[in-house]
Amino acid sequence: MKNFKNIKDFLQHKINKTSEKKIPIIAAAVKNNKIITFSKNKKGWNNRLKHAEINVINKCLKKKVNFSDITIYVNLEPCMMCMGAIKNVGISKIYYYVENQKKGFITSNFTHDISKMDIKKSNDKKINNFFKEKLENYFKKIRG
């Protein structure tokens, strides 16, 4: 894997390499500031469960990763399904960049107890806007 100054640069690089036809959502499992694995959304009309966070969790399971040591970084606030999976495997640290206004676990009426979790939203306006713009442009293209 190419060397990057930080996780933010890695995520931005991977999103820049994403085809305009692919959903620009990426997640990474990080331990001690080192990326263990990452994945983009791979869902489509035939399988809507292949969210980036779920894919990362599955990759970590194959590597037998201790989830309590992991921080999950994702450019879009996780949905309720992903939040449930994150909690169920024991990840307690989440770092995200863009709020998911329609289906995000924080902005929705969530039912998960997140009081013992360390959840942070990036305050880096430049990278937040970069991810937001990529997502908005993608969804404008597919929805017209």
Side-chain angles (χ1 to χ4, degrees):
M1 207 178 314
K2 184 179 171 184
N3 288 332
F4 293 91
K5 288 190 297 187
N6 53 46
I7 295 156
K8 169 184 74 174
D9 289 348
F10 172 81
L11 297 175
Q12 186 174 16
H13 171 76
K14 291 296 182 184
I15 289 297
N16 270 333
K17 290 182 69 175
T18 301
S19 155
E20 288 186 12
K21 295 178 182 178
K22 303 276 183 174
I23 302 170
I25 299 173
I26 187 169
V30 177
K31 179 180 178 181
N32 298 329
N33 235 15
K34 182 181 175 207
I35 296 169
I36 304 299
T37 190
F38 75 95
S39 184
K40 296 177 187 174
N41 264 37
K42 295 182 180 174
K43 68 180 192 166
W45 294 112
N46 59 344
N47 188 340
R48 297 182 182 201
L49 303 177
K50 293 187 176 184
H51 290 202
E53 301 93 325
I54 302 293
N55 297 336
V56 162
I57 288 168
N58 286 330
K59 286 181 173 185
C60 285
L61 286 168
K62 288 179 184 172
K63 292 182 176 198
K64 299 184 184 335
V65 170
N66 180 351
F67 287 105
S68 65
D69 298 335
I70 296 295
T71 300
I72 195 160
Y73 282 74
V74 61
N75 65 323
L76 182 65
E77 173 188 356
C79 69
M80 292 297 292
M81 176 184 71
C82 291
M83 184 61 195
I86 290 166
K87 277 195 66 183
N88 282 333
V89 297
I91 296 172
S92 63
K93 296 178 186 148
I94 302 170
Y95 193 88
Y96 69 97
Y97 294 89
V98 179
E99 291 174 349
N100 185 345
Q101 295 296 325
K102 290 188 179 185
K103 297 182 181 179
F105 72 92
I106 291 174
T107 53
S108 66
N109 293 323
F110 59 84
T111 57
H112 296 288
D113 178 10
I114 58 173
S115 61
K116 294 179 182 159
M117 297 183 78
D118 183 9
I119 301 169
K120 294 185 175 109
K121 181 180 183 293
S122 164
N123 59 8
D124 182 332
K125 289 183 179 167
K126 185 177 178 183
I127 190 71
N128 294 358
N129 287 334
F130 166 81
F131 287 131
K132 184 176 182 181
E133 213 173 272
K134 289 284 187 182
L135 290 160
E136 286 174 349
N137 289 340
Y138 171 80
F139 285 109
K140 278 180 191 171
K141 284 181 185 173
I142 66 165
R143 294 179 180 151

